[in-house]
Amino acid sequence: VFSKENSQTKAMSAPRNARDRVRDEVTREILEVAAAHLAEEGAAALSLRSIARDLGMVPSALYRYFNGRDALLSALILRAYASLADEAEKAADLAAGVPEASDGDRWTAVPSAMREWAQARPHEWGLIFGSPVPGYQAPEDTVVPYGRIATALARPVADALGEGRLRPSADEAASPEFLAVALAPVREGLLPNAPLTTVERVVQAWCTLIGCISLELFGHWRNTVLDPGLFFGQTVARLGDEIGLHR
Amino acid sequence: VFSKENSQTKAMSAPRNARDRVRDEVTREILEVAAAHLAEEGAAALSLRSIARDLGMVPSALYRYFNGRDALLSALILRAYASLADEAEKAADLAAGVPEASDGDRWTAVPSAMREWAQARPHEWGLIFGSPVPGYQAPEDTVVPYGRIATALARPVADALGEGRLRPSADEAASPEFLAVALAPVREGLLPNAPLTTVERVVQAWCTLIGCISLELFGHWRNTVLDPGLFFGQTVARLGDEIGLHR
DNA sequence: TGTACATCAGTGAACGCGCGTTCACTGATGTAC
DNA sequence: TGTACATCAGTGAACGCGCGTTCACTGATGTAC
């Protein structure tokens, strides 16, 4: 089960000879075609045969690259995570590099990037945040890219906090003690030394973001929110306010 | 395409003779078995043949009741909507009937009911709020139950507002004018005469709720939020605060 | 109340489909000496 | 540099599978007179 994946990752990391180089290229082509199918038909309709057809290969040839459909789908999930994480980090970096931007402006960057990414690839968003495809629950490897996204989002908050620019919240004591335990991983991983209410609000902002993007993407704004982009912007701005970032 | 569904709804509404009564019963049985399969295997794995097998019928017999797989799945989606809406309304009614409850307490009722409903039937939650099953986008009929859920959620807010108990928010002017247009349907439908910030906050609360429940349900709290129930409660309470409900 | 006909639930066989996966194979590319 | 062998990508045929859907049918239930 794992031998192919091992050789695959090995080949991916250090292509030495022509054979290995061509293998990487074909692997990439397969993933690209698969992603295209995913984008058009969704995960359920993904089939090895149709991918092989599009590549001008015979179905069984794909088994040189992936141990069957499950492995391919897992690779696609990982690819989606990595792509979103890249986009989030890029946006965070870019925002951090603008000296005249306020903390509030910087806060906006990652959510907007996430929304745009999602709109460009709704099915990949669904792969990450939609109902899990039965049998293909997220592999352990998604922990790292998931953390990258969260880190990128929290970065403006962490920076503002570290540099003493975070507006103290009025209700420091509003979070019960035991919440600290429940949110310890986030505090330690993303916002060291932050007040508990800040941690809490950031995680809540995460919920709001994911909910907002998903609701829009999955068609729930019909007859409800007439201008999704406007509403999203307003929501993100307010979240930044509530966290205590200066406009 | 629609003849069967017509006869179905007709029979459902007014069963006259024994034949019609038995038809309703079988229809219900089919839906129940289908829902059970859905709960165990997910929407993708739903098959007419396996449902028929469980019912001791021959696959083609199902066509007396539903025009094929698509129609069955649509019925299941509607059923899920209706069930969630029922639950939400029940919770709202119950909360409204407790005289000593605060507005904040009442506000908590529907979100908690939704979360419990979702946890009992993750796949049905996914049918409503997860990635749309390709080809089975929500029928027009989902508008009504969707509205019922929203109404139930907003009810404590509308009541508090109507009875002058809503704490006025500090930032009345924080919402731009054009947001009023984008949120007009909600304001008119759920919160007539409410300040725009209230409408805005309620819709945001909706995002947060859906996001929070989905993230928990779809397995994204691993290594992040160690006590999902606690966090959910805290989040809902804070949302009520921010809307301006008294504890 | 009894008969003649219409309606309709459910049967059983059959259709064609696309799927994932296996296997022995061919021929090209790489490696060791 | 040249030969002998190992590695590996891709072929082509075949497997068995469960699926949705159709169709002509049987027999029971309901309806009209």
Side-chain angles (χ1 to χ4, degrees), chain A residues 93-119:
Chain A
D93 286 348
L94 215 112
V98 180
E100 67 271 21
S102 70
D103 289 326
D105 294 337
R106 292 205 181 97
W107 160 255
T108 300
V110 171
S112 299
M114 288 177 68
R115 176 163 176 265
E116 274 154 34
W117 184 91
Q119 283 181 328

Side-chain angles (χ1 to χ4, degrees), chain A residues 19 23 49 56-58 60-61 64-65:
Chain A
R19 188 128 84 179
R23 171 172 245 279
R49 294 191 101 102
M57 296 169 92
V58 98
S60 53
R64 292 274 163 207
Y65 299 89

Side-chain angles (χ1 to χ4, degrees), chain B residues 48-227:
Chain B
L48 292 184
R49 294 190 103 102
S50 71
I51 292 167
R53 231 176 282 131
D54 273 22
L55 286 162
M57 296 170 91
V58 97
S60 52
L62 294 180
Y63 281 78
R64 292 275 162 206
Y65 299 89
F66 296 95
N67 273 318
R69 209 189 99 108
D70 296 25
L72 216 194
L73 199 41
S74 294
L76 280 176
I77 293 176
L78 275 186
R79 201 181 118 108
Y81 268 97
S83 163
L84 177 55
D86 286 350
E87 215 61 36
E89 281 180 353
K90 209 194 302 170
D93 285 348
L94 216 114
V98 180
E100 67 271 22
S102 69
D103 290 326
D105 295 337
R106 293 207 180 97
W107 159 256
T108 300
V110 171
S112 300
M114 289 177 66
R115 176 164 177 264
E116 274 155 31
W117 184 92
Q119 282 180 329
R121 325 158 168 71
H123 282 108
E124 304 192 38
W125 176 269
L127 232 40
I128 301 179
F129 293 109
S131 15
V133 190
Y136 310 94
Q137 63 271 49
E140 200 56 47
D141 317 340
T142 58
V143 172
V144 172
Y146 193 81
R148 285 170 58 209
I149 304 168
T151 305
L153 178 71
R155 184 167 154 193
V157 183
D159 286 352
L161 179 75
E163 294 160 26
R165 290 194 309 271
L166 200 68
R167 202 185 322 119
S169 80
D171 52 354
E172 290 284 347
S175 304
E177 289 281 332
F178 36 91
L179 194 66
V181 179
L183 294 180
V186 184
R187 190 190 234 167
E188 284 159 22
L190 300 184
L191 297 162
N193 304 320
L196 186 52
T197 52
T198 304
V199 180
E200 193 197 323
R201 281 175 197 279
V202 168
V203 180
Q204 275 171 25
W206 177 248
C207 292
T208 311
L209 284 182
I210 304 302
C212 199
I213 296 176
S214 289
L215 282 166
E216 177 184 354
L217 218 63
F218 299 159
H220 287 286
W221 277 168
R222 232 186 0 171
N223 306 326
T224 309
V225 175
L226 303 183
D227 187 336

